[in-house]
Amino acid sequence: MDYISTRGSAPTLDFRAATLAGLANDGGLYVPAHWPKMTADEIRALAGLDYVETAVRVMTPFVAGALNEDELRELCKAAYGRFGHDAVTPLVQLDHRHWLLELFHGPTLAFKDVALQLLGQLFEKFLSGGETDITIVGATSGDTGSAAIEAVAGREHIRIFMLHPEGRVSDVQRRQMTTVLAPNVYNIAIDGSFDDAQAMVKRLFGDAEARDQLTLSAVNSINWARLMAQVVYYFYAAVRLGGPDRKVAFSVPTGNFGDVFAGYVAAQMGLPIARLVVATNVNDILHRALTSGDYSAGTVTATATPSMDIQVSSNFERLLFDLAGRDGAAITSMMGEFDAKRAMTIPGDMLAGSRGLFSSASIDGDAMALALRWAQEHGGQIIDPHTAVGLAAARTLDIEADVPIVTLATAHPAKFREAVERATGVRPPLPARLGNLFEREERYERLPGDYDAVKAHILATVARG
Ligand SMILES: *Cc1c(COP(=O)(O)O)cnc(C)c1O
């Protein structure tokens, strides 16, 4: 499979190169040159397959030319063998039509493990035997950092520096990062906000001296391989609920538009999806964009769903690319305008193309808490606040009565236990495999919110070997 940039001028790459590159060098994002199709019979044949075999069937066309089916299977077995549930992403029924797809059985209790565990395997595979060592540098407001660290800890040819804003991630989230003592893992607490940390990472990627001394790589959700891994669970769930002979709707708690874009990909591949619900919290740029074309970034409001407190959703560009008829020049000028003004209007004819599949809703804190209690009282489930945003949206929107609605459960409730306890009175315990998190030794560096200090620290650490 060839990968092309949404801005039309970066070189076409194969799957291996697109995975290692992350971002395209024209500022765009890599997407497959075409959407591979699965026939209804091929989808029907997924019934009864386990998660790994489903993953192999769904992902093989995307990795063609870089990995064969057996290689892909080995990587999937290694990635998903670390999950705490045999089904990897089990479905749980809430009432006659609402279901949860539990995506949080990975090592760090959020859905990001589904993609990052595979990405870690892919990186190791693609770098093995080679001369290159890559340096992953990232900033996290919580979930991505621990999932990325767990994915690459102890791996050869990879080191990871993860910046988090000191005192602004939860104790569980911090400890999930800082208690990983593998020698290739470097945690840095920055005196500043998440945006400060993020800005430093961006600056480092554009810094000629740093790029000269390091082979930098990114693991945020602009990396195509992450989205590819997420396409799998849409098929896995839909087939269990009667697909492809029955349409299924999905409600997706959304921040960077990565997870819900994976659902769009599943639909392009031929999975009959009745509706994809883009569920945002009060940081609702996507809801405004999809309903009125108003794609303008405001200031971020902090909520009980921090992983969705985002104003600019990087992966939305991938949808716009398709809506614009895959015209890279058009996307270059649209995104150029957005970068300059932090706002743009999506033309009506482009938006029209999204209406058949996407709906959206913006859910405030009260509606989120209500959905948390509804799941507790009617479905007997304690869910996390992000999942509750998805469930609230699913229950608000008008979806045909015979369509089952699957809300993606993106985090384990124990990860956000203060908010869960406030809404339900129940304090969800950490799963046993994380039970001693609070006794483990922590290791991290504290640095001032100063770019030069952070850069000097990273370069010196790498130079020491
Ligand atoms: C990252 C995250 C999201 C948002 O996912 P996107 O792919 O960025 O849209 C939702 N819920 C949780 C718990 C997350 O960690």
Side-chain angles (χ1 to χ4, degrees), residues 110-112 143 253-259 307-308 384 386 410-411 416:
F111 86 96
K112 291 185 172 72
D143 291 341
T254 306
N256 233 333
F257 206 74
D259 208 2
S307 302
M308 298 159 66
D384 109 286
H386 301 79
T410 51
F416 300 95

Side-chain angles (χ1 to χ4, degrees), residues 192-261:
S193 68
F194 167 67
D195 288 334
D196 298 335
Q198 176 94 310
M200 287 188 212
V201 172
K202 283 201 180 135
R203 197 165 152 193
L204 193 76
F205 275 76
D207 186 317
E209 191 192 356
R211 283 206 315 226
D212 211 42
Q213 296 184 35
L214 310 169
T215 304
L216 285 170
S217 195
V219 290
N220 49 16
S221 67
I222 54 167
N223 194 306
W224 162 258
R226 277 185 63 175
L227 303 190
M228 173 188 78
Q230 292 168 226
V231 176
V232 174
Y233 48 69
Y234 286 91
F235 280 91
Y236 187 77
V239 164
R240 273 156 187 78
L241 293 174
D245 302 302
R246 184 190 194 198
K247 285 192 172 189
V248 177
F250 290 91
S251 181
V252 190
T254 306
N256 233 333
F257 206 74
D259 208 2
V260 69
F261 187 78

Side-chain angles (χ1 to χ4, degrees), residues 254-393:
T254 306
N256 233 333
F257 206 74
D259 208 2
V260 69
F261 187 78
Y264 167 82
V265 174
Q268 300 313 300
M269 291 176 73
L271 186 69
I273 295 182
R275 203 126 282 280
L276 275 177
V277 178
V278 177
T280 74
N281 62 25
V282 292
N283 297 292
D284 63 350
I285 181 171
L286 286 168
H287 174 57
R288 281 183 281 117
L290 288 166
T291 47
S292 68
D294 167 24
Y295 193 70
S296 58
T299 48
V300 177
T301 304
T303 71
T305 46
S307 302
M308 298 159 66
D309 290 346
I310 282 178
Q311 279 294 338
V312 179
S313 298
S314 342
N315 281 296
F316 196 54
E317 180 169 338
R318 286 184 158 113
L319 179 67
L320 291 176
F321 180 62
D322 269 14
L323 293 177
R326 300 206 136 201
D327 179 347
I331 296 300
T332 304
S333 78
M334 281 180 81
M335 295 314 294
E337 180 191 331
F338 178 75
D339 286 341
K341 299 193 204 145
R342 306 273 296 162
M344 66 180 175
T345 303
I346 302 166
D349 53 337
M350 259 177 82
L351 262 190
S354 72
R355 295 247 156 80
L357 186 59
F358 291 100
S359 295
S360 64
S362 163
I363 302 297
D364 66 16
D366 289 343
M368 182 279 287
L370 255 158
L372 251 163
R373 282 194 291 276
W374 185 85
Q376 177 186 28
E377 282 160 21
H378 297 269
Q381 297 292 317
I382 299 295
I383 62 175
D384 109 286
H386 301 79
T387 308
V389 167
L391 182 60

